[in-house]
Amino acid sequence: MNKPFEPGKKRGVYMDVTDYAQNPAYQLPAEELNAFEKLDAAYRALVALLYNYVPNSGHPGGSISSGRMVEHLLYKEMAYELKNPHRNDADIISYAAGHKALGLYAMWALRNEAARIAKPELLPSDEKLQLRLEDLLGFRHNKVQGTPLFKKFNVKPLGGHPEPLVPFVRTSTGASGVGDGSAVGLALAAADAYGENCPAVHIIEGEGGMTAGRVSEAAAAAATAQLKNAVFHIDWNEASIESERVTADGENPGDYVQWNPMEFFYMHDFNVIRVPNGHDFNQIHAAQKLAAEISNHQPTAIVYRTVKGWHYGIEGKASHGSGHKFASEGFYAALGEFEKMFGVSFPRFEGDKTEDNVEKFYWKSLLTVRRALESDKPLCAYLAGRLEASAAALAAKARAVRADLGDSEKLYTFNPAEVPAEFVFEKGKSYTTRGVLGNVLAYLNKNTGGTLLTASADLYGSTGAGAISKDFPDGFFNTVSNPKSRRLSAGGICEDGLSAVCTGISAFGKHAGVASSYGAFLAFEHVAARLHAIGVQSAREAGLHPNTFIMFNGHASLPTGEDGPTHADPQSLQLLQGNFPEGACITAVPLEVDEIWPLVTKSLSLKPAIFAPFVVRPSYTLLDREALGMDPAQNAVNGVYYMRRAKGKAEGTLIVQGAGVGRIVAEELLPELNANGPDLNVVYAASRELFELLSEEEQEKLLPLEYRHTAMGITDFTLPALEGWLLSQAGRRHTLFPHKNGVYLGSASAAKLYAEAGLDGASLLEAVRAYAQDLKRDTAWR
């Protein structure tokens, strides 16, 4: 039977560690093997304790099956300094499989204990930069936890999925696939900053997490850019929440996907190393040693065949998000290997299952681990010696950022009032907001030395994002052939993956990632944006300095009418606006091109985790603001400005949002209001967040509450997008928006879509006159 096709030529190579099993050069010495066996027994005991005492919360199975690969990485392969978790030149380990956080915390705490016992000088002096054994009392607790020991030991709250408040954690992970993309972004940023001598990024993942489409997109980006420093470590245990055969395995089809991890990564042009027994330290050692020796500049995936919940007493899918019942015989049996190996006994829980009593026995159990380690001085000395070797390896690498690397801190220093000559526009000439946004970001890129790395969903020219890299080499970024390009290949039409990658770029702290696509699609990547915002909050609390992730929402809303309701979607702004803590995300909806410089630079000066401008496809003639009575473009930095001020006592207030409908208001409605009334204030809403970040006094001066209590709105987006400016039911009832008639609009030119939605000039005039009449009649409205 003929094969349907032969795989195309790959740059990556495939290896199986069984071919190296008998070679002494790829085996651990017996004394090291013994130390790792003891370490792993302690690790698995901590995993069991964490799940039992939190109580019964977490993911013990995958934490256990991934343990040995991570142990070997931390003590044998990685170059880092325990004393300084914030070093940018250090290798990174990123738990893309965020549900394995229980394991991460156990691993970090054991490392801290080994150093504390054998070489305390290896530890940071600031306990905030450590993850102590005491901090395990904080697993899945927040700052308001009131139990006695939590308060006594000033315990660090540890999230259910990793956050950068934890030392050596650079991004927030958890949502399937986002962690893989953000880790690839970390690797890309590290490769650009440090060149050939760049930090490695070790990405911990399982085959279940790989089924998300974002992972294919991230893998494509890593291989295309030739990120030799991206190393995936796949815990291939075949067990998920519902399945015991996630992937295909030999002749057996998978329940979810019909590939195995080796095929997946080889197809994406990775080096692939198969480890038949992922619990065998010699095989793990050989695989990680081989990975370090490959010199073809492709990323690498090491696939370890494991058993989820290995030696825990519960295996497979049953151990995914659950484990032994609290203080059960099964739980105590899971501790037996550690007890026998170290000659100790864990306390048996007794008394009432109150929070305080559970914490007391939890701490007694953790102290049992501590005392066992303290009694095994050779083990702790070995582990501490390996930590010293990791720091020495980092020093020997002498990594330095390239001499011409830009300064991302400058992104936040541009003055909104100092407008460069190229952004002073001529009245009566036509411009596109998407084009000018691209040029403003290009200016920032050039003047910060290339700190903006841009990924677009195959739409660089269409959205205007292609301009951002115009002052740098053409083509896509590649670490070998085109390392100075600022334009990324992110797998094609891949908003999911490119957004995640760009968040990782921003999280590294040397660049800002820019993701570009239609607003209808890009804003739906708020999952990656949300994780970045969580990470930024946590990282800044820990003393790190991640950068803003910029979401370039091109072709926003109805002006993209010919593409139909799938593309000309008004919901996108609503997904970002008002859905983040104050200051974490700033959206901007410029009406005119002369507002873009002030809006971009003002927003960036506030260092939000996310900056999301929305721009449109058509070109428009620059309005004569002075002739129309509009405020200067600079006033957009306040989030609102007046398109028209009432000549006498205002007969109402109109809030306008969106470049398309804003243009109709300016060109068709304002002249009618000026000539025939009603005498309304017309206010343009350029950024809800910039307005809300003003003091209450400034807000009241700009847009008094009295106005907002009687205002109606007109928007290109949705009714909730005007939340905060419309403070009456009557005002909201009068408000016009694309879906007001209860249907999605058709496919047509923008003008016809506005007519279909009742947002054309004649309809607007009729609606605002009806509003003004109702307002005049209804004294209760006031």
Side-chain angles (χ1 to χ4, degrees):
M1 179 177 176
N2 293 329
K3 293 181 180 179
F5 62 88
E6 291 289 341
K9 184 177 180 181
K10 304 294 182 186
R11 293 168 291 190
V13 298
Y14 176 84
M15 299 178 177
D16 190 314
V17 296
T18 53
D19 298 334
Y20 299 82
Q22 304 307 315
N23 187 336
Y26 291 95
Q27 293 184 341
L28 279 169
E31 62 275 15
E32 290 197 87
L33 189 60
N34 179 60
F36 274 110
E37 291 290 351
K38 285 187 171 183
L39 171 66
D40 189 60
Y43 168 74
R44 285 182 282 112
L46 274 185
V47 168
L49 290 171
L50 276 160
Y51 180 80
N52 185 70
Y53 282 108
V54 174
N56 290 87
S57 180
H59 296 263
S63 295
I64 287 169
S65 55
S66 62
R68 293 189 161 209
M69 66 182 77
V70 176
E71 288 157 8
H72 192 274
L73 277 174
L74 287 179
Y75 294 98
K76 289 290 285 184
E77 291 301 321
M78 291 175 62
Y80 68 99
E81 184 184 22
L82 183 61
K83 198 177 190 69
N84 187 355
H86 292 171
R87 284 186 64 163
N88 268 320
D89 60 338
D91 291 344
I92 294 170
I93 188 165
S94 185
Y95 272 67
H99 61 276
K100 299 181 194 288
L102 183 157
L104 184 156
Y105 303 143
M107 197 77 71
W108 268 221
L110 278 173
R111 180 174 60 180
N112 216 77
E113 278 296 288
R116 184 190 66 81
I117 294 165
K119 287 186 181 294
E121 64 272 18
L122 295 177
L123 292 171
S125 56
D126 185 352
E127 286 189 345
K128 186 172 73 173
L129 301 179
Q130 300 181 34
L131 197 145
R132 307 162 299 157
L133 200 67
E134 288 85 348
D135 291 320
L136 297 184
L137 295 172
F139 179 48
R140 294 198 170 205
H141 292 311
N142 65 8
K143 296 175 181 178
V144 303
Q145 178 72 9
T147 45
L149 297 175
F150 186 91
K151 293 189 290 185
K152 176 182 176 180
F153 297 138
N154 192 27
V155 167
K156 189 183 273 90
L158 301 176
H161 290 78
E163 297 171 16
L165 187 62
V166 175
F168 296 100
V169 173
R170 300 298 291 271
T171 63
S172 288
T173 61
S176 294
V178 173
D180 297 89
S182 64
V184 167
L186 290 172
L188 197 152
D192 182 66
Y194 288 90
E196 281 297 297
N197 191 17
C198 58
V201 179
H202 296 280
I203 305 160
I204 310 303
E205 183 56 284
E207 81 291 328
M210 290 170 55
T211 60
R214 297 182 180 104
V215 184
S216 295
E217 297 168 10
T224 302
Q226 293 193 267
L227 298 181
K228 68 171 185 177
N229 62 328
V231 185
F232 279 78
H233 298 264
I234 305 303
D235 171 24
W236 184 26
N237 55 54
E238 284 285 31
S240 68
I241 297 173
E242 303 290 348
S243 172
E244 297 284 13
R245 189 184 292 143
V246 173
T247 74
D249 186 3
E251 295 182 358
N252 300 313
D255 287 343
Y256 296 156
V257 294
Q258 304 316 314
W259 44 254
N260 67 47
M262 288 87 70
E263 294 169 337
F264 175 94
F265 281 106
Y266 190 71
M267 178 189 73
H268 282 95
D269 206 11
F270 275 59
N271 302 311
V272 177
I273 302 174
R274 175 177 174 263
V275 181
N277 183 356
H279 304 298
D280 182 330
F281 274 117
N282 273 324
Q283 290 193 16
I284 293 168
H285 176 69
Q288 294 182 8
K289 189 175 174 66
L290 285 167
E293 293 173 355
I294 299 173
S295 59
N296 59 14
H297 232 286
Q298 289 303 105
T300 297
I302 307 176
V303 181
Y304 309 81
R305 197 68 170 86
T306 62
V307 175
K308 183 170 277 190
W310 184 74
H311 286 201
Y312 177 59
I314 301 175
E315 294 184 350
K317 70 180 185 180
S319 68
H320 178 85
S322 60
H324 297 290
K325 291 183 178 179
F326 180 76
S328 65
E329 285 306 310
F331 159 62
Y332 290 119
L335 303 175
E337 185 179 344
F338 179 85
E339 290 179 317
K340 183 178 179 181
M341 186 174 286
F342 287 88
V344 298
S345 295
F346 285 98
R348 267 45 180 173
F349 183 83
E350 56 188 31
D352 294 334
K353 195 179 172 184
T354 64
E355 244 192 336
D356 289 4
N357 198 36
V358 168
E359 183 187 62
K360 181 177 78 172
F361 276 88
Y362 185 14
W363 179 236
K364 285 183 177 181
S365 299
L366 292 176
L367 284 178
T368 303
V369 175
R370 172 170 283 173
R371 291 175 187 133
L373 293 174
E374 288 174 340
S375 69
D376 196 334
K377 295 288 195 285
L379 173 61
C380 291
Y382 169 75
L383 296 175
R386 293 307 312 160
L387 295 173
E388 277 190 311
S390 295
L394 181 59
K397 289 182 181 294
R399 291 169 175 155
V401 296
R402 55 183 173 87
D404 57 348
L405 181 69
D407 180 2
S408 62
E409 279 300 308
K410 288 184 179 178
L411 283 170
Y412 311 107
T413 63
F414 293 89
N415 188 338
E418 295 178 1
V419 183
E422 52 262 59
F423 305 122
V424 176
F425 303 102
E426 187 177 334
K427 296 169 190 174
K429 288 192 69 174
S430 290
Y431 306 91
T432 64
T433 52
R434 61 186 167 98
V436 171
L437 176 59
N439 287 332
V440 167
L441 293 175
Y443 182 95
L444 301 186
N445 207 13
K446 180 179 181 180
N447 285 277
T448 59
T451 62
L452 297 183
L453 292 171
T454 304
S456 178
D458 202 34
L459 291 164
Y460 277 106
S462 179
T463 62
I468 302 172
S469 58
K470 65 183 180 181
D471 295 300
F472 300 89
D474 290 337
F476 293 120
F477 173 85
N478 182 284
T479 59
V480 177
S481 62
N482 201 9
K484 296 298 179 68
S485 171
R486 305 291 84 186
R487 180 183 293 196
L488 308 180
S489 170
I493 308 172
C494 298
E495 288 89 357
D496 271 336
L498 68 86
S499 295
V501 169
C502 287
T503 64
I505 289 168
S506 295
F508 190 73
K510 297 291 186 185
H511 315 75
V514 183
S516 169
S517 187
Y518 278 71
F521 309 132
L522 185 64
F524 279 83
E525 310 324 315
H526 67 284
V527 175
R530 180 172 59 84
L531 263 64
H532 183 63
I534 293 167
V536 168
Q537 173 183 295
S538 183
R540 287 175 180 169
E541 187 175 346
L544 289 164
H545 304 285
N547 282 318
T548 300
F549 163 45
I550 300 174
M551 300 178 75
F552 188 127
N553 293 279
H555 301 344
S557 199
L558 301 194
T560 314
E562 293 88 350
D563 286 327
T566 58
H567 289 56
D569 179 63
Q571 290 177 264
S572 51
L573 178 62
Q574 180 185 337
L575 291 171
L576 297 175
Q577 186 180 265
N579 287 324
F580 291 80
E582 184 178 273
C585 176
I586 295 177
T587 62
V589 188
L591 168 60
E592 282 278 80
V593 291
D594 51 3
E595 298 166 24
I596 293 176
W597 172 267
L599 280 171
V600 170
T601 52
K602 176 63 176 180
S603 298
L604 289 177
S605 74
L606 298 171
K607 291 192 174 181
I610 301 128
F611 172 50
F614 287 76
V615 288
V616 296
R617 176 189 285 169
S619 61
Y620 293 124
T621 302
L622 186 69
L623 296 170
D624 188 334
R625 288 178 174 271
E626 190 175 356
L628 289 168
M630 293 172 60
D631 284 352
Q634 275 296 321
N635 289 22
V637 299
N638 297 315
V640 298
Y641 64 82
Y642 283 79
M643 298 180 73
R644 181 184 191 277
R645 294 178 188 268
K647 310 297 187 212
K649 182 171 177 57
E651 297 178 64
T653 299
L654 179 62
I655 309 292
V656 181
Q657 182 186 62
V661 77
R663 175 68 46 167
I664 297 169
V665 168
E667 294 181 339
E668 300 184 45
L669 183 60
L670 291 187
E672 283 291 334
L673 296 181
N674 289 335
N676 303 307
D679 193 10
L680 303 178
N681 290 314
V682 181
V683 177
Y684 187 78
S687 171
R688 171 177 166 179
E689 295 81 12
L690 289 181
F691 179 74
E692 291 179 345
L693 287 169
L694 299 174
S695 68
E696 288 186 11
E697 292 77 14
E698 290 174 304
Q699 291 180 24
E700 180 66 17
K701 184 177 179 181
L702 275 169
L703 186 59
L705 277 170
E706 178 189 356
Y707 291 2
R708 286 179 269 165
H709 277 296
T710 58
M712 73 165 282
I714 301 174
T715 181
D716 273 341
F717 299 98
T718 58
L719 182 59
L722 287 175
E723 188 69 32
W725 283 305
L726 307 177
L727 302 183
S728 70
Q729 286 296 335
R732 286 192 285 273
R733 189 172 64 248
H734 277 280
T735 292
L736 304 179
F737 52 95
H739 289 164
K740 185 161 188 173
N741 293 329
V743 296
Y744 288 103
L745 305 176
S747 298
S749 66
K752 290 181 180 178
L753 279 194
Y754 283 110
E756 183 184 0
L759 293 170
D760 57 288
S763 298
L764 294 185
L765 181 60
E766 181 182 351
V768 298
R769 284 179 172 164
Y771 152 74
Q773 285 297 319
D774 279 0
L775 187 59
K776 189 178 295 184
R777 286 194 298 265
D778 190 353
T779 55
W781 203 350
R782 298 185 184 276

